[in-house]
Amino acid sequence: MLEVLGTGVPGKPSTLSFADLRDAAYEQMLENFGANAPRPVLHKANAAQGDLTRTPAFHNRAVPDRKRRPTRAPASPARKDPVPAPSLAGTTAPSKPDAFQSPEAAVNFQMAQQATVEGKDDEAARLYRLAADQGHAAAQYNLARFYVNGRGGLPKDEREAARLYRLAADQGYAWAQYNLAAFYETGRGGLAKDEREAARLYGLSANQENNQAKRQLPGLGQ
């Protein structure tokens, strides 16, 4: 949960509840340990106080501060010490209203999220694909993550993951921009290594207050 607090949860409100942290942490555990990952359990609600697990309590670092959003990628002085190879963002992205999703896509995405939480990865993959085909950026991102890890009965296929990341990135989805940048930086997913394109995509993601993207830019001379 400390890692979730540090990176935030894309698509969730600006303030997270204990339940939000639990669900995001469980998603990461599924990514790392598969279907046998133990699900975090919160204390039972106090009848006198109500269910405090749904009370907003923690700042969500993944939510951009639109009042302070820069108009271009933040410039940082180049540094000589090497930056570690970028790691892909691993938490599947919750839904958020945007101009790129239809009501049908939003419903399919929500059902896919629920299936993921319940450990029904095959059903989640099917529903993510439906929503992705309907243009839902977060579903495209999540389906790409499934291909990267070979989840939901899908084969490991980084070329397909790169294609899906690009679809979501072209819609302005910050975490897809970040992961596509990581592919370009390291030459994954059938893409030629291209640090200039990686820097451009990291910059777009950083403009949406993605702190992980900001940390990658100095290593590319940005």
Side-chain angles (χ1 to χ4, degrees):
M1 286 193 181
L2 289 176
E3 183 177 350
V4 174
L5 279 172
T7 60
V9 183
K12 284 290 187 182
S14 59
T15 307
L16 300 171
S17 67
F18 281 103
D20 292 328
L21 293 178
R22 175 200 60 197
D23 294 343
Y26 182 55
E27 285 291 329
Q28 289 189 347
M29 293 171 71
L30 286 174
E31 292 282 350
N32 294 328
F33 305 111
N36 293 325
R39 177 165 184 156
V41 177
L42 300 176
H43 291 295
K44 292 183 179 180
N46 185 313
Q49 296 179 335
D51 185 1
L52 299 180
T53 65
R54 297 289 176 183
T55 301
F58 304 98
H59 174 61
N60 185 0
R61 294 179 180 272
V63 173
D65 185 345
R66 300 185 183 278
K67 292 183 180 179
R68 296 187 293 106
R69 179 182 293 184
T71 57
R72 56 184 299 177
S76 300
R79 66 185 195 186
K80 295 181 180 179
D81 56 308
V83 174
S87 59
L88 297 180
T91 304
T92 49
S95 177
K96 63 177 180 179
D98 57 48
F100 307 108
Q101 67 181 47
S102 67
E104 294 82 5
V107 170
N108 285 328
F109 183 82
Q110 293 289 353
M111 292 171 62
Q113 283 193 299
Q114 183 61 36
T116 302
V117 171
E118 294 173 356
K120 301 174 182 177
D121 279 2
D122 287 6
E123 178 66 3
R126 183 185 73 82
L127 290 164
Y128 280 139
R129 185 181 302 281
L130 285 176
D133 289 345
Q134 293 165 331
H136 195 290
Q140 292 162 348
Y141 168 86
N142 282 3
L143 186 59
R145 289 297 306 160
F146 270 43
Y147 273 110
V148 167
N149 293 287
R151 286 179 62 183
L154 301 175
K156 287 189 175 182
D157 188 342
E158 290 195 349
R159 288 179 180 270
E160 179 62 9
R163 184 187 73 83
L164 289 161
Y165 283 145
R166 187 181 303 281
L167 289 176
D170 286 347
Q171 296 192 65
Y173 202 83
W175 289 100
Q177 292 166 341
Y178 176 89
N179 280 6
L180 186 59
F183 270 28
Y184 270 112
E185 185 176 1
T186 55
R188 292 176 61 179
L191 302 175
K193 189 174 180 178
D194 187 338
E195 291 190 351
R196 178 175 295 181
E197 179 64 7
R200 185 185 74 84
L201 288 162
Y202 280 138
L204 292 174
S205 186
N207 279 352
Q208 300 187 62
E209 299 302 319
N210 184 331
N211 291 326
Q212 287 183 233
K214 290 179 180 180
R215 285 193 289 269
Q216 294 303 130
L217 287 169
L220 296 173
Q222 300 298 309

